[in-house]
Amino acid sequence: MHLGLIGFGNIATTLLELLPEALGRPLERLSVVSMPADAEPVRSRLARDFSAVARAFSVVCSSDQMEGRPDLVVECAGHGAVSSHVPGLLRAGIDVVVVSVGALAEPRIEAELKEAARAGNARLILPAGAIGGVDLLSALKVAGDVKVSYRGIKPPAAWAGTPAERAVDLERIRTAHVFFSGTAREAASAYPRNANVAATLALAGPGFDATEVTLVADPSAPGNVHEYSVASPLASYAVRIENRPSAGNAKTSVSTVYSVLREIRNRAGPLVI
Ligand SMILES: NC(=O)C1=CN([C@@H]2O[C@H](COP(=O)(O)OP(=O)(O)OC[C@H]3O[C@@H](n4cnc5c(N)ncnc54)[C@H](OP(=O)(O)O)[C@@H]3O)[C@@H](O)[C@H]2O)C=CC1
Ligand SMILES: O=C([O-])CC(=O)C(=O)O
């Protein structure tokens, strides 16, 4: 398999630690798209820590410079990287797993990605990411009248550097504070590194403007907690997930990496589950 990776941060590097054992064999090639200033450090890190991951490596600064044709590309860089890199890959017929799902909250980006996938006969794959139960939601949606309400609860440090800082004194709060209530579109746009799951629920379910979102900073949170409920004429259910944050990024739950790994294993192995 030739795997492309856009981004070389927490998700990408944790994924590379897991890949050799998960796949049981090295990739044919790994192509990494990094920011220009990061290219040399990424090359050194690949040679030092990840030589067992692939038989060949390349590091480029733009997705159209990737050597050969990847079988699959994983975007794990952020909302900006989705609009710069993903439409071109899809138009070229390359399937892409987009982890920064919240980028689709911008209607122009959602339309462009769908148009590009159609034009290239490629698939835009949105992983479940830090949550589960998306399969049932996506199935129920077809029958109509599905309602989704989501609550994202993280320790205060995970909200650092976000607009939550204007509503809450993150360093001093002692109890849980709700600092945002609104739609999934508003949440995904304002919290691009923290509310991608709200976008995933919206896309699998009733859409960005009909998905209710509440965001909470809670010093007692047992990790990054995602709670949501689904009501539909066919079934109703509620989910609560207590995720461990990643060592490399408190905002990102480590299970997100395993969700990406699942997409790759489903692609590389004989069984899809
Ligand atoms: N669907 C889901 O459930 C979840 C989705 N996410 C999404 O995944 C993203 C990545 O998470 P994580 O790995 O923890 O974040 P990190 O910040 O650790 O890593 C992101 C990396 O991507 C790099 N990068 C940014 N823009 C580009 C670009 N245009 N081209 C190439 N590289 C780029 C960054 O470089 P630099 O630091 O130099 O800017 C950084 O090294 C998050 O921003 C979020 O959008 C996260 C968690 C859950
Ligand atoms: O990793 C998580 O817990 C969820 C997250 O950051 C997001 O939805 O963007």
Side-chain angles (χ1 to χ4, degrees), residues 5-13 33-38 60-61 75-82 84-85 98-103 127-131 154 191-198 200 226 246 248-253 256-257 259:
L5 276 183
I6 304 171
F8 200 74
N10 161 63
I11 292 177
T13 53
V33 179
S34 82
M35 301 293 270
D38 298 336
V60 294
C61 299
E75 172 284 322
C76 47
H79 288 199
V82 175
S84 349
H85 297 297
V98 165
V99 182
S100 303
V101 183
I131 52 168
K154 293 187 180 182
Y191 299 89
R193 299 181 70 199
N194 276 309
N196 291 281
V197 294
T200 306
H226 303 287
S246 307
N249 181 357
K251 293 177 166 57
T252 295
S253 299
T256 309
V257 182
S259 167

